[in-house]
Amino acid sequence: MDQNAWVMLFVGIAVSCGLLALGVVLYPKLKREEQGYPMEAAIEAALLPLIYEGICAAYRMSERGVDQLQQRIRGADKKAIADSIYRMLPDKVGDYDLSLIKFVVSQERFEQLVQGAFDRFDRFFIEHEAHFEELFEKWKAGNLPA
């Protein structure tokens, strides 16, 4: 091998290592929560009503479990129910086609949105728990067996 071949070999190795290092640095940034796509926040906001419907469906199924089996559906199972809404998304959500939504919002990101929505609901409930407890006690008193 002559000197030019060796130089080209080492340049090729250096460029390959540089691209690999660049990939290692950029990959975590590309996997972060917001990708920075145009309309990403608007698409996620358009999904919120469906996310809340998923959360409510999980609670409705939990009520059904209590009514029929005297057993409540637990948190992980409720989360799976709410997350299943991703597979049930309609062809359009707001002004956005399903293909665009699924390109911008991955299943993992959708799960994060569901968890965030649930956390906001849970925080609201905890902040106003005394009010809800008072309402429940009034309801209970009016519905005790005679």
Side-chain angles (χ1 to χ4, degrees), residues 101-146:
I101 292 168
K102 289 201 172 183
F103 176 75
V104 173
V105 180
S106 67
Q107 173 77 38
E108 293 79 22
R109 178 64 182 145
F110 188 80
E111 289 173 5
Q112 292 170 349
L113 293 172
V114 169
Q115 186 62 52
F118 177 79
D119 290 345
R120 285 188 298 279
F121 150 74
D122 198 40
R123 190 170 34 257
F124 172 83
F125 186 83
I126 290 169
E127 288 172 0
H128 303 285
E129 193 167 5
H131 171 75
F132 296 124
E133 183 66 27
E134 181 182 323
L135 290 175
F136 178 76
E137 291 301 322
K138 285 181 185 177
W139 175 85
K140 189 168 79 172
N143 288 287
L144 287 174

Side-chain angles (χ1 to χ4, degrees), residues 50-61:
L50 291 170
I51 289 171
Y52 280 113
E53 288 175 4
I55 291 169
C56 292
Y59 273 95
R60 178 68 62 93
M61 288 183 66

